Amino acid sequence: MKNTLTSLALATVLGFTTATTALADDMTATQIKNGYLEHGALAQYHRWYQVYERAEGGIDNALDILAEDVVVTSGLGVANGHEQYAQRVSQLPQSWQNAHHVRDVQVSINDDGSMALTADITYLNAGLLEDGGIRTADLTYTMALAPTDSVLPKFTEITIAQNSDGTADEFVDAYAENRLRSLVHYWLALIEDPSRNPEPVREILADGFALNFSSGAITDFAGFEAWLAGPGSQVAASTHVISEFSVMENADGTYEMTVDFDWAGILPDGSELVAKTRHNWTVNNDDTERFARILTVDVEVLEPFRPGTD
């Protein structure tokens, strides 16, 4: 039985993704079991910046992450609810370029399923300063989220505090990283979700997708359903932590993304395994959709599965 469980867990590692072994070793059983909730919050968090970084994505995608009675507080004042927030966004000059480089983000999960998220970022703006300079500011976000009937929670409170103000030598765009991190976290939330519901994954799979896992290539949705119900469900719980992340835009508008994951899983007998994999993704993107879509996934094992440490 032991060999069967470890083989199944390895198949899961190769198909799933994420985390550095040191991080995986440090995770508690509760953190592993709640991992999909954290990924859902992070998927929404990285979506927050998209309306500022690519306004053509539309206000509807921005409102989609907010509770109807959300309260957004910043140096611009307080916006209560969707209408006031949409009005605030509509007043931003379309000529501005904005970038939000996330330095640190932490998520805590409460017993009732609500969440608190804090993040420190570096904000860059081209267009505000009359002399053509690049404005920079260090910001801290304090955010509260409420659970929904999906793996994606919604923000109920957002407070933005400015810690510094200055200028930068150059503008460095952050859209691709925020857009693709949102996609990765949503993918992880869905495949780690104990409900094992494949249907929401349709939204993030492109036409003609190919998921090249160790068990073979998956090239249609029926194959994905079989994988999620089979190798993908042979652990009691699992989660992934991103240890390395890079993205590059291709000439045709697609993106190439490389992500190293530390994976931690709990087997049905309660024992824990850890591993490390590298995923290379090709991603198709339409700014107006909620998420980018996966074209291809190739997986490389960096550190094979092994028992976790207590």
Side-chain angles (χ1 to χ4, degrees), residues 11 14-15 26 28 36 102 139 150 159 165 228 244 251 254 263 276 296 301:
L14 298 180
D26 292 339
T28 66
Y36 77 102
V102 180
L139 307 178
S150 76
T159 301
D165 194 5
L228 189 62
E244 299 290 340
T254 61
W263 177 90
K276 187 179 182 73
T296 64
V301 178

Side-chain angles (χ1 to χ4, degrees), residues 82-116:
H82 281 196
E83 184 176 354
Q84 288 187 11
Y85 177 71
Q87 289 176 347
R88 175 183 293 183
V89 172
S90 70
Q91 294 170 1
L92 297 175
Q94 295 296 301
S95 60
W96 282 6
Q97 290 179 281
N98 300 296
H100 306 79
H101 296 275
V102 180
R103 301 194 311 272
D104 180 69
V105 57
Q106 301 292 328
V107 178
S108 59
I109 303 170
N110 302 317
D111 291 340
D112 63 358
S114 64
M115 285 171 270

